[in-house]
């Protein structure tokens, strides 16, 4: 167990929050407008009339080509053997410009040989981050470079995948896992469906940051639960942000 607790320091837990690339469809550059209209034909409600471009604000944020990263939350553990406790440090990257957010995050990834862990990270967070980093003309950090690597060489972990146990059709929400393991919810204030509105209409990036780092903390606790770490183990949480 001690070896595992020491190795925990190599795992960087993360979560991202994304928004549509622009505040509305009309603000999108013409070439991307054309591409969005093609994409929209595949995601529009069946047999329901809708106005072309009307799904942009609601749906674009989940696609890296039409969305952007507005916040990256991270967290990692340090085991203090003498006190037999874990210290968990967390922070978020959320600058006005996406480029600055991703650059700061990329610099963190280059500081050590991290193992990245997120809930549904292999399907969403990791590829989305990689695509947006490249779109912003930032060199792809080593932990996100998977091309040409053998599966066991890719240092990515996914709490959703771990929970599937090989069941490829089974999707489990982070909130459901938190519930079954008795972990406090991260859904205070806003949830994922409200991020775009909170970002564009309310201009409340602080609340998005808080929501993001709460999700990271829940993911980290679920990972510990998967390893059989008893819930009564002392964990000191240190948030290095100035957002609370």
């Amino acid at each position: 167990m001690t070896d595992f607790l020491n190795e925990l320091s190599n795992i960087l837990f993360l979560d991202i929050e994304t928004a549509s690339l622009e505040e509305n469809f009309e603000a999108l550059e013409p070439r991307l407008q054309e591409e969005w209209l093609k994409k929209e034909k595949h995601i529009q409600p069946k047999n329901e009339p809708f106005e072309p471009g009307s799904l942009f604000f609601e749906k674009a944020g989940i696609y890296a080509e039409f969305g952007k990263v507005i916040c990256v939350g991270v967290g990692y553990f340090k085991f203090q053997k003498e006190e037999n406790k874990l210290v968990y440090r967390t922070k978020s990257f959320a600058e006005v410009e996406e480029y600055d957010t991703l650059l700061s995050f990329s610099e963190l990834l280059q500081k050590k040989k991290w193992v990245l862990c997120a809930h549904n990270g292999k399907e969403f967070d990791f590829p989305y981050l990689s695509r947006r980093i490249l779109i912003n003309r930032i060199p792809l950090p080593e932990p996100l470079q998977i091309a040409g690597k053998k599966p066991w060489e890719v240092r990515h972990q996914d709490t959703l995948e771990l929970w599937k146990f090989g069941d490829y059709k089974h999707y489990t929400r982070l909130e459901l896992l938190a519930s079954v393991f008795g972990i406090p919810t991260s859904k205070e204030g806003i949830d994922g469906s409200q991020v775009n509105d909170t970002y564009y209409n309310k201009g409340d990036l602080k609340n998005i940051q808080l929501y993001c780092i709460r999700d990271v903390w829940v993911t980290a606790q679920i990972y510990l639960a998967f390893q059989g770490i008893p819930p009564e183990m002392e964990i000191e949480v240190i948030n290095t942000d100035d957002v609370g």
Side-chain angles (χ1 to χ4, degrees), residues 182-202:
I183 295 169
T185 180
S186 63
K187 309 307 179 187
E188 300 173 4
I190 64 171
D191 60 38
S193 66
Q194 299 170 304
V195 169
N196 220 44
D197 177 67
T198 302
Y199 180 71
Y200 279 115
N201 296 331
K202 299 178 181 177

Side-chain angles (χ1 to χ4, degrees), residues 74-200:
V74 300
Y76 64 93
F77 290 101
K78 285 287 188 180
F79 178 55
Q80 296 186 347
K81 185 176 181 180
E82 299 76 13
E83 302 177 46
N84 193 36
K85 76 171 184 179
L86 286 169
V87 176
Y88 174 79
R89 293 182 178 274
T90 185
K91 71 168 297 177
S92 62
F93 302 91
E95 304 295 337
V96 174
E97 298 296 332
E98 183 191 37
Y99 174 89
D100 296 322
T101 297
L102 294 177
L103 181 62
S104 296
F105 173 67
S106 296
E107 290 171 349
L108 171 65
L109 290 192
Q110 297 174 49
K111 289 186 176 180
K112 65 182 297 184
K113 201 170 183 179
W114 293 107
V115 175
L116 306 183
C117 182
H119 190 73
N120 200 29
K122 291 185 178 182
E123 288 290 326
F124 184 70
D125 302 73
F126 306 149
Y128 199 111
L129 280 166
S130 299
R131 292 163 184 157
R132 292 308 304 176
I133 285 172
L134 292 180
I135 288 171
N136 278 272
R137 297 291 204 270
I138 298 172
L140 196 63
E142 188 275 333
L144 290 173
Q145 295 177 13
I146 64 173
K149 288 185 178 179
K150 299 177 176 62
W152 56 88
E153 295 175 330
V154 178
R155 300 192 309 278
H156 294 173
Q157 294 202 37
D158 189 328
T159 49
L160 174 60
E161 182 180 74
L162 292 173
W163 186 248
K164 283 182 176 181
F165 292 97
D167 181 0
Y168 292 102
K169 296 179 290 184
H170 192 67
Y171 178 83
T172 307
R173 295 177 62 244
L174 182 69
E175 177 64 15
L176 175 54
L177 280 182
S179 298
V180 299
F181 281 104
I183 295 169
T185 180
S186 63
K187 309 307 179 187
E188 300 173 4
I190 64 171
D191 60 38
S193 66
Q194 299 170 304
V195 169
N196 220 44
D197 177 67
T198 302
Y199 180 71
Y200 279 115

